[in-house]
Amino acid sequence: MSTNTTLHDTTDAGQASTNGTTTTVDVAVVGAGFAGLYLTHRLRQMGISSLGFDVADNVGGTWYWNRYPGARCDVESIDYSYSFDPELDAEWKWSERYATQPEILTYLNHVADRFDLRRNFRFETRVEKAIWNESSKRWILTTSDGDDIDCRYYVMATGCLSVPKQPDITGAERFAGETYSTGRWPHEGVDFTGKRVAVIGTGSSAIQSIPHIAAQATELTVFQRTPNFSIPAHNGPPVPDKVAEIAADRAGYRERARWSRAGVPLEASEVSALTVTLEERNAAYEKAWNTGGLFSLSTQFNDLGTNKAANDTVSDFIREKIAGVVDNPETAAKLSPYSYPFGTKRPCLDDNYYAVYNQPHVELVELRAEPITTITEKGVDTSDRSVEVDALVYATGFDAMTGALVSVDITGRDGLTLAEKWSAGPKTYLGLTTVDFPNLFMITGPGSPSVLSNMIVSIEQHVDWICDTLAHMTASGFELIEPTSAAEEAWGLHVNDFAGLTLFPQANSWYMGANVPGKPRVFLPYVGGVDGYRRICDEVVERDYLGFKLAGDNREQLNDGVVRELQPDVTIMLELIAELGMPPLESLPVAEARALSDAGKDMRPPGPDVGEIVDGTFPGAVGDLDYRLYRPTSPDQGADDQRGIVVYYHGGGWVLGDATSDDPLCRDLCDRTGAIVISVDYRHAPEAVFPAASDDALAALAWVRANAEELGGSADRIAVAGWSAGANLAAVVAQQVRGDGQPPLRGQALLTPVTDGTTVRPSMNDNADGLMLTKSLMDWFWDQYTDKAQRSDPLVSPLLADDLGGLPPAVVVTCQFDPLRDEGNAYAQAMAAAGNEVEHSVARGHIHTSVPAVDALPTGAVHRETIAAALTRFLA
Ligand code: NA7
């Protein structure tokens, strides 16, 4: 990074210039909180002029406004501090583990003084409008003091929880007593002594303030819509061990924070909550409960955020704690959350919150049972009663993550406003930028880790990324940056895919936009971690601003592309497998390749239970072979009480595997379809070469047809299915038995089939390496099974059959990043063109091996369901 770069249009580097009522500056910044202050400091260092705005009369951002009693940070202050200046970091001493709002505000004022930042801000000034001027390639801002700001870059450093939610309770304007909002608390403080007080809301602000309000009020009534999980803060002086750890290696500690999941260095558990005993689990939770802190409980096991059953264990633990503290069992029950998993709404840290309800003058009203009908002049009416109060405190939260961004009237290219563009939910690239709003940056915007992380670490990362980008642009002669539509679209999918792996979407939380009436239900932050996200942002830069268009007077660079296309669970699996450092299968003798491939079986989840599993043998083309039969638990289907049968052929390139090697997938198919699944073996290459496998596959079907009733199924309702080379066999068998005088096959399910050994299609080269099935492994499989000359035989390349008419209905699932994708797609298209019924889908973000990974890769489930639903239809 360069620290003394200037932009082209800066006549007086580092200074804004004013002409009449227009001020010209390089960068306009909205917000004087943690983000705006650090950004201003960095820009000053770089010699880039900036002007910041804040409605408040001083610095502080969220910590300026949230002055309610008990307001504190709920990430330890030692972590919730700037790291950009080691001297500042070393010198500043927090007095408590979780600093109070006044102390945090003092810190921010100290930072503003220390780096002389206030002179770059106009306080008590609101940016009301921002319009992109396409001809000058600049933003024109209109401020509340009537001034226009003409800037090259426009940065919204407006925070994620800065716009209080508008009162959405009937009659709110009628109340004649004192009204307060936690997010806009009077600077002089409020004395509730001798007063009857109502608090509406039980989020973090309420949970922090209620014990303080209860200490003064004569009567306190708390109106709770949804109970929250709250963990004791165990506040006190900063934890000595942690202070010592940081003092010993400050730079190392901060670097670990930058590369941690949540922006705080934490030990991540690798153990599932469901694999330990109840005693072990509760001992872990008890220790965490006594340690306190936002992350203590959630990091005890690795599946609390992704597995509901695992989450239930910690949720139960907290509910027991609530019951242990609150004397009145009815009140304890009301305070116990059941409607969402722990952690899917922001958990709270408290200081004796639950015990407040043991005080005789404190009452909890459960709004789900008795909703507020209206606020009146005197208080709050519910469906059951009228509660008269002297003061009403709204602790009803914020229009989170997008509220502040759309509260300024921002108009981008072609008159499009940000509010219009985001009417169905925010669209960003990396949570930093958005299409049609060139040179606009958001700090901790939607689609970035932001509120799921230590905000200060995320703020510093965003500010650094933006400043490094400006430096790069200046040095390279660019003055315009905008993401591409493809990059933005794909980022939205990636953010959503990641959230879908977690329990977060199960809650009506502000993470989901669910707290604001009418707000689109979209998961707003990025759940992939500060570490993973930082890696992505760095990679975007390393790949020369992938997904961005950069332009200057004399040059333009369009580097369209997508930074993360694989499903997130597929990426995680690939990283884990890469860590194992296994040799390529094709580099091994066949016996060793088989042993290595078999060893993987023990590492995978077993798949669902089925009613019965029977192992046996059947006559193959030249001798007995094994089968494994899966009988479902579900009630019999079909008029004659006989089930449909799926004859399944396993994957493994005609070389690896056996009748049991796709066990989880077969269980899953059996469970989802309610059909009998018979996984049949076939002879393998190189011992038995082409056409041994297809001969055995055909023999297996003949045997199942002849013995269907004995197996508990119906000879009239048989389908074939397979994965990879097994799908090749299923396709070949389906062609061979056409019109053979027997009841026709009801269907064929082909998952990533091999269909043509004669042509190298683009997907083979595009996905040649690093995605489990490689091009060289596929070549090796082919070489084991067939001579090159044999590969045009439809018995191994079913796509090359002269006649593809009259085939059974097919479901074909191919994977986007599979070397076999294009030949699978070609087969689906060719079958459809020949007049067959074909359902074909391409599994987005999947690789050759990921869809069969039952219970290991959640994103594959939808594609297995596609196959199962089609089979169920075929066999009905
Ligand atoms: P939150 O966490 O959004 O809490 C707001 C609370 O107000 C929550 O209990 C809401 O219930 C409740 N609420 C909101 N609207 C209503 C209406 N109309 N009627 C009754 N109750 C209502 O905001 P906080 O300020 O407490 O905390 C925000 C974050 O700041 C916090 O997570 C930390 O990160 C710091 P709901 O759950 O929506 O049913």
Side-chain angles (χ1 to χ4, degrees), residues 286-571:
E286 193 66 42
K287 193 164 166 236
W289 187 261
N290 293 328
T291 306
L294 208 50
F295 308 108
S296 59
L297 278 169
S298 58
T299 50
Q300 289 305 312
F301 297 102
N302 68 359
D303 51 357
L304 299 180
T306 52
N307 180 321
K308 176 69 169 56
N311 190 287
D312 284 345
T313 66
V314 68
S315 300
D316 285 344
F317 175 86
I318 302 173
R319 288 188 284 255
E320 278 167 30
K321 286 289 177 194
I322 296 170
V325 173
V326 180
D327 296 340
N328 181 331
E330 270 179 37
T331 309
K334 287 182 195 168
L335 287 165
S336 298
Y338 278 98
S339 58
Y340 60 95
F342 168 69
T344 56
K345 283 172 87 113
R346 179 72 140 70
C348 306
L349 280 198
D350 73 87
D351 192 5
N352 275 329
Y353 170 65
Y354 292 118
V356 162
Y357 294 96
N358 294 335
Q359 299 178 30
H361 70 298
V362 180
E363 184 166 10
L364 181 70
V365 176
E366 195 189 13
L367 296 179
R368 304 266 175 208
E370 48 171 311
I372 296 177
T373 49
T374 185
I375 307 277
T376 66
E377 288 71 14
K378 292 184 173 171
V380 183
D381 280 4
T382 71
S383 55
D384 292 10
R385 60 183 128 169
S386 292
V387 181
E388 290 193 4
V389 292
D390 305 305
L392 194 50
V393 176
Y394 288 99
T396 44
F398 299 89
D399 184 354
M401 301 212 61
T402 55
L405 294 166
V406 297
S407 74
V408 175
D409 185 6
I410 303 178
T411 305
R413 192 176 286 123
D414 298 329
L416 179 70
T417 68
L418 193 63
E420 283 162 3
K421 176 174 173 181
W422 287 7
S423 59
K427 292 183 164 107
T428 72
Y429 183 38
L430 306 171
L432 275 162
T433 57
T434 185
V435 174
D436 282 332
F437 296 80
N439 290 3
L440 168 69
F441 294 102
M442 293 160 272
I443 297 182
T444 63
S448 74
S450 58
V451 291
L452 297 178
S453 70
N454 174 357
M455 284 298 287
I456 313 309
V457 171
S458 287
I459 283 169
E460 288 191 338
Q461 188 248 338
H462 265 191
V463 168
D464 287 341
W465 193 93
I466 293 167
C467 289
D468 293 349
T469 295
L470 296 190
H472 165 78
M473 289 172 66
T474 306
S476 315
F478 295 122
E479 44 195 25
L480 190 138
I481 180 167
E482 187 184 352
T484 68
S485 298
E488 180 173 284
E489 182 86 6
W491 184 250
L493 289 172
H494 178 64
V495 169
N496 212 34
D497 289 339
F498 231 130
L501 295 177
T502 71
L503 301 173
F504 278 112
Q506 296 188 15
N508 288 321
S509 64
W510 53 257
Y511 296 138
M512 296 291 303
N515 64 327
V516 175
K519 192 166 170 172
R521 194 184 165 90
V522 175
F523 189 71
L524 298 167
Y526 177 63
V527 83
V530 166
D531 48 353
Y533 176 76
R534 183 184 296 270
R535 214 173 292 128
I536 290 169
C537 291
D538 289 356
E539 189 182 322
V540 164
V541 173
E542 276 153 25
R543 294 170 72 182
D544 212 356
Y545 287 88
L546 181 68
F548 281 106
K549 190 170 79 186
L550 302 174
D553 275 350
N554 304 314
R555 57 181 305 213
E556 210 174 280
Q557 170 183 309
L558 172 62
N559 190 4
D560 205 356
V562 173
V563 64
R564 282 291 176 275
E565 290 188 281
L566 289 175
Q567 288 291 339
D569 51 354
V570 174
T571 303

Side-chain angles (χ1 to χ4, degrees), residues 161-185:
L161 295 160
S162 43
V163 172
K165 203 172 74 127
Q166 291 301 314
D168 52 357
I169 303 175
T170 317
E173 70 295 341
R174 285 169 62 189
F175 185 62
E178 301 161 31
T179 302
Y180 303 103
S181 159
T182 48
R184 292 287 179 272
W185 204 256

